[in-house]
Amino acid sequence: VDKPELGYVNIGVGFNSGPVVSNVVGNKNPKFTIIRDTVNCAARIESNLLPLKIHCSDASAMILKEKHPEVPLDSQGSIPIKGKGEMETYWVYDDDNRGFVQRGRRKRSSSISSYT
């Protein structure tokens, strides 16, 4: 139910593809965790996006182009990724309106990320 008086959540998604390691960590309060450079890159990509956008790495874009060529991608160009240098990244769009968000200035979003 749309209730404008409650406000809106602007979520952005950053994802990367590659090898990861997963495990349950902790004895008293066990938590599932995923680690490896793939996850770190996804988090860095997510921290460079606009609200309501889907932003992916070059590795993920290549997989999308191969497996789902119907998914529109738009190169964002190279962005600085801490600890990695410059990395080519892409916006992932829907088919209907070629975008998920009105264009705006870049701001830091929530820490919700999707990892592939």
Side-chain angles (χ1 to χ4, degrees):
V1 177
D2 194 16
K3 294 185 179 181
E5 67 274 8
L6 295 177
Y8 295 94
V9 176
N10 291 320
I11 296 175
V13 176
F15 66 98
N16 185 23
S17 299
V20 296
V21 175
S22 64
N23 205 344
V24 176
V25 177
N27 291 326
K28 286 187 176 182
N29 190 12
K31 295 179 182 177
F32 181 77
T33 188
I34 301 173
I35 58 172
R36 200 96 188 233
D37 188 53
T38 302
V39 177
N40 294 336
C41 284
R44 303 285 191 220
I45 289 168
E46 184 269 335
S47 70
N48 280 285
L49 56 77
L50 295 169
L52 301 177
K53 286 278 199 172
I54 299 175
H55 195 191
C56 74
S57 68
D58 188 45
S60 295
M62 295 305 110
I63 292 169
L64 280 171
K65 286 177 186 177
E66 179 185 325
K67 303 284 186 182
H68 297 282
E70 72 280 4
V71 175
L73 299 170
D74 186 23
S75 175
Q76 186 198 356
S78 293
I79 62 168
I81 301 292
K82 183 178 174 185
K84 301 292 285 176
E86 294 288 315
M87 180 182 255
E88 181 78 15
T89 59
Y90 294 81
W91 298 120
V92 181
Y93 290 102
D94 64 5
D95 287 326
D96 297 333
N97 62 11
R98 295 277 305 152
F100 292 96
V101 65
Q102 63 279 26
R103 305 280 178 197
R105 72 178 210 273
R106 184 181 303 265
K107 31 179 180 173
R108 188 152 177 90
S109 65
S110 69
S111 60
I112 300 171
S113 295
S114 175
Y115 303 113
T116 303

